[in-house]
């Protein structure tokens, strides 16, 4: 989510003594893993496995408001 007072990736890199590229890679991996876990959790809530993607799209639409 976009937050006005969110630190930049450059600031995060400096705080954790990482390169900006390393921070970018860490964020990329975090988003990938989060997506996988969310997909797995949604798969546990639907009757048919084919409904997982539809349910995920619906969740995203609701969150975007």
């Amino acid at each position: 989510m976009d937050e006005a007072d969110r630190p930049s990736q450059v600031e995060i890199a400096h705080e954790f003594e990482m390169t900006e590229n390393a921070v970018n890679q860490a964020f990329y991996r975090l988003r990938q893993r989060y997506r996988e876990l969310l997909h797995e959790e949604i798969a546990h809530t639907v009757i048919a496995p084919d409904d997982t993607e539809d349910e995920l799209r619906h969740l995203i639409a609701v969150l975007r408001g």
Side-chain angles (χ1 to χ4, degrees), residues 1-21:
M1 300 301 225
D2 289 332
E3 299 174 14
D5 60 343
R6 182 180 75 177
S8 71
Q9 289 186 0
V10 172
E11 293 169 324
I12 293 169
H14 184 263
E15 181 177 344
F16 289 98
E17 297 179 0
M18 299 168 67
T19 65
E20 188 177 353
N21 190 43

Side-chain angles (χ1 to χ4, degrees), residues 31-53:
R31 285 190 301 269
Q32 265 189 320
R33 184 67 179 136
Y34 182 79
R35 189 177 302 122
E36 291 169 5
L37 291 172
L38 182 60
H39 194 274
E40 288 175 19
E41 286 302 314
I42 290 174
H44 292 297
T45 68
V46 295
I47 295 171
D50 293 342
D51 294 340
T52 304
E53 291 301 320

